[in-house]
Amino acid sequence: RRKLNEIAVEKGVTPLVDRWQRMVATYIETQCHVITLLGYTPDERGIGLYTQHLQQALASASPEVQDMLRIAGRDTYRMVLANAFDLPLMEEQESKGEMSIVDARNVMHKVSLRMQAPEVLEKVAKICSTSVAMTDSTEAQQIDMARKHTVIQQVMVDDVYLSGGSSSLVSECGFGEGE
């Protein structure tokens, strides 16, 4: 929780994408710590194997148990977001309940339309067209891929989700103002 609170304090100082990446890294680091206690390796392979075993176990579990674990996972992620971004997310979401499938599809449709806007695609293509890799080594290619991934995340935040001020996609979809 301390790491998530440190991320929250950086609001207005550190770009949203950088804070998001640190939040995800903290989440994964915590997952690795927990699965190690269950006998899995603390890496991508361990997380994958744990997830596979959990899905297999859930396949034979009652619908009530499946729903209980789904809700626990959702609430855990909400808590991570609320702490990392200093949001009153828990209280607000508790009172609103869950988004319906139809509403979720409508939100995803709006997001996909904004993502496919010509100006967004052109911006991503222009920024990503220049490679910063100095060599053809695997490491240089991975660094360049990570840079492009960050560029895409930044464009998503600035030009898809938050562009338009009070008429931003975030606001239009009912998620409030700002980041």
Side-chain angles (χ1 to χ4, degrees), residues 2 4-5 11 28 31 37 60 65 84 94 96 139:
R2 178 186 50 79
L4 296 174
N5 291 336
K11 183 176 183 174
I28 291 171
Q31 281 184 319
L37 300 172
S60 61
V65 169
E94 295 282 329
K96 288 182 182 178
E139 183 180 354

Side-chain angles (χ1 to χ4, degrees), residues 1-79:
R1 189 173 261 206
R2 178 186 50 79
K3 287 183 179 183
L4 296 174
N5 291 336
E6 289 171 6
I7 295 167
V9 170
E10 295 175 4
K11 183 176 183 174
V13 177
T14 305
L16 177 61
V17 169
D18 293 345
R19 289 182 288 132
W20 178 266
Q21 289 172 342
R22 285 191 47 221
M23 184 269 308
V24 170
T26 300
Y27 185 73
I28 291 171
E29 181 182 311
T30 303
Q31 281 184 319
C32 286
H33 176 75
V34 170
I35 66 169
T36 300
L37 300 172
L38 301 172
Y40 296 92
T41 57
D43 55 20
E44 184 178 349
R45 184 172 175 206
I47 290 173
L49 193 56
Y50 167 77
T51 302
Q52 180 184 3
H53 290 160
L54 180 61
Q55 288 174 343
Q56 289 170 347
L58 284 175
S60 61
S62 70
E64 293 80 19
V65 169
Q66 291 177 10
D67 200 44
M68 182 182 72
L69 284 173
R70 181 190 61 78
I71 290 169
R74 178 204 65 198
D75 290 347
T76 299
Y77 202 68
R78 283 180 177 176
M79 185 275 306

